[in-house]
Amino acid sequence: MQNIDHKAPMICVSAAGTDLLVIFTKDRPDRLRRILPGLAFPTENVILLDDSHRNENRLENIQLAEMFNLNYHGKYEQQSVLGRLLLPDLQNFVGALGSVPWGLGFNRNYALVLASLQKATKLIMMDDDVDLEGSPVATDVLRLLDANRFVGAKIEQMPDDSIVGHIHRGAHVVQKRYASGTFLGLQIDRPPVNFFVNHYNEDWIWLFLENYGRPVFSPVSVKQLVFNPFVNWKDKVLFQEYGEILWEGVTAASERGQFSLLENCDHWRIVISDRRQDIDAIGSMELPGHILPIAHGVRSHLLNYLDKATCEPFVRFWKEYLELLPIWHRVMEHLCSQGWSE
């Protein structure tokens, strides 16, 4: 894999060697009630990062954090941190907690900010629907991070996938996948070179770039709570599709060893055309009866989108990403020098 042209990151030395686990949640206290009893991790090192929009959910999450002795961090705590930093460039990478739109990419960047401020050396990111069931897997991941920059996990029970991905699974069609951010450990003493984009597949894209396209060591397994991936599919599938095209474009450019292709419209036209063929093929898949009508609806919806899709937004995405990279590096260097203990 050809490296993106960037400078090497500085090392952010930590005398304390803090280990952090950050749980991302947004308006889902019902899931937190299910997973927190089995967390099995030192609670003083756990941050509950609450992006909830509804006030009643924030209040319930605060109560759950108090019940399990976690460090609650929501919209007001974030305002306090950002007010102390006085770092306007952060607005390129971090959104306001409690906003209505999806913001998981921004929230992952903010977790990196908090880890840097607390001089953490190891960080585990975890979604609010991962049930550790009392297993010491988080502690095991921290130990494995002594010798590995990243430690991923196999997601069992409910695969971490898009709506189209679950349709493919129903037909037993294998798609190209990468390590998930659903449960991921990383060394954080060296600030990440790349930042999370605030689009679907932000975890795959970030980890692929950060790990130079290499397979991620994933020796452990965790369970994701079961849910119906097809609920409100019309509201989700176009949002997911943009991220799917980004993922396909980045990996295709990497396979050819030319990230410069991502600034080329012809590259994205090929990616969009290939994606259209994949979506069109859904019409000939053998699928279980309960999936079939949804699959046909998804196919029709996405073909209409892809027939109108142009290369320009994707070229613009990559150019903006490259323009923001040096700003991200300056932000992380500043944070390395500013850390405090909350």
Side-chain angles (χ1 to χ4, degrees):
M1 173 176 174
Q2 179 195 45
N3 295 347
I4 303 173
D5 184 22
H6 52 58
K7 65 177 180 177
M10 68 183 293
I11 295 177
C12 192
V13 179
S14 168
T18 306
D19 301 330
L20 286 181
L21 188 155
V22 175
I23 302 174
F24 301 96
T25 192
K26 185 178 182 72
D27 291 312
R28 301 199 297 198
D30 55 322
R31 297 192 181 186
L32 288 176
R33 283 195 298 271
R34 293 177 63 183
I35 68 140
L36 290 180
L39 193 56
F41 193 82
T43 56
E44 66 272 13
N45 290 358
V46 178
I47 295 175
L48 182 61
L49 192 62
D50 187 10
D51 191 25
S52 296
H53 173 64
R54 301 182 62 175
N55 189 56
E56 58 267 34
N57 290 332
R58 288 199 297 268
L59 292 174
E60 189 166 351
N61 288 343
I62 290 171
Q63 292 173 351
L64 287 168
E66 291 176 349
M67 182 184 305
F68 291 96
N69 197 31
L70 311 180
N71 297 294
Y72 177 85
H73 197 101
K75 60 184 294 187
Y76 300 114
E77 289 76 13
Q78 184 192 49
Q79 289 170 8
S80 175
V81 167
L82 297 182
R84 293 165 68 182
L85 282 176
L86 297 175
L87 195 57
D89 282 340
L90 260 180
Q91 67 184 352
N92 294 297
F93 312 104
V94 171
L97 293 175
S99 301
V100 177
W102 185 91
L104 186 54
F106 282 154
N107 296 345
R108 292 192 189 281
N109 288 331
Y110 188 56
L112 297 176
V113 168
L114 293 178
S116 295
L117 289 173
Q118 297 199 24
K119 302 295 187 185
T121 54
K122 299 174 186 175
L123 171 66
I124 296 176
M125 296 183 176
M126 172 176 146
D127 290 353
D128 61 5
D129 53 4
V130 173
D131 190 355
L132 300 185
E133 299 181 316
S135 163
V137 64
T139 304
D140 292 343
V141 166
L142 290 179
R143 176 178 50 80
L144 292 166
L145 285 170
D146 287 337
N148 300 276
R149 188 175 174 216
F150 301 105
V151 176
K154 301 175 183 70
I155 311 299
E156 296 183 342
Q157 192 166 269
M158 184 69 192
D160 177 36
D161 220 332
S162 65
I163 290 168
V164 170
H166 281 284
I167 290 172
H168 279 82
R169 287 179 182 277
H172 304 290
V173 175
V174 178
Q175 287 190 300
K176 179 169 55 181
R177 297 181 55 78
Y178 202 60
S180 171
T182 298
F183 188 88
L184 176 69
L186 58 145
Q187 296 176 1
I188 199 65
D189 55 339
R190 188 183 298 272
V193 170
N194 297 279
F195 60 90
F196 288 92
V197 298
N198 198 44
H199 298 289
Y200 186 76
N201 279 341
E202 85 295 333
D203 52 346
W204 287 8
I205 293 168
W206 178 84
L207 191 53
F208 185 86
L209 294 174
E210 197 70 15
N211 202 38
Y212 305 109
R214 296 173 298 211
V216 176
F217 180 52
S218 301
V220 302
S221 299
V222 297
K223 290 184 178 180
Q224 187 174 26
L225 299 179
V226 174
F227 61 92
N228 182 351
F230 303 117
V231 171
N232 299 324
W233 66 264
K234 287 184 180 179
D235 296 332
K236 300 175 184 176
V237 72
L238 292 184
F239 159 74
Q240 292 181 353
E241 188 63 15
Y242 184 84
E244 297 280 45
I245 294 171
L246 289 179
W247 166 246
E248 295 291 343
V250 169
T251 54
S254 172
E255 288 168 359
R256 294 178 62 180
Q258 299 179 54
F259 273 106
S260 60
L261 289 172
L262 296 172
E263 299 180 76
N264 186 314
C265 251
D266 287 340
H267 172 75
W268 290 107
R269 289 191 187 102
I270 293 170
V271 171
I272 293 169
S273 176
D274 289 347
R275 181 67 179 176
R276 193 194 184 285
Q277 290 183 36
D278 291 342
I279 297 301
D280 194 26
I282 291 175
S284 59
M285 289 180 179
E286 294 187 12
L287 291 161
H290 69 285
I291 296 180
L292 198 58
I294 296 172
H296 287 170
V298 167
R299 174 180 175 273
S300 176
H301 211 51
L302 289 183
L303 287 179
N304 183 57
Y305 166 75
L306 291 166
D307 284 341
K308 299 174 183 176
T310 62
C311 60
E312 286 83 5
F314 300 99
V315 170
R316 186 165 57 249
F317 155 81
W318 187 249
K319 288 183 177 179
E320 290 174 353
Y321 183 83
L322 293 180
E323 289 172 359
L324 286 172
L325 264 184
I327 301 174
W328 170 252
H329 298 158
R330 291 198 300 270
V331 166
M332 294 308 291
E333 287 184 0
H334 176 83
L335 294 173
C336 263
S337 65
Q338 292 296 313
W340 66 69
S341 296
E342 294 283 357

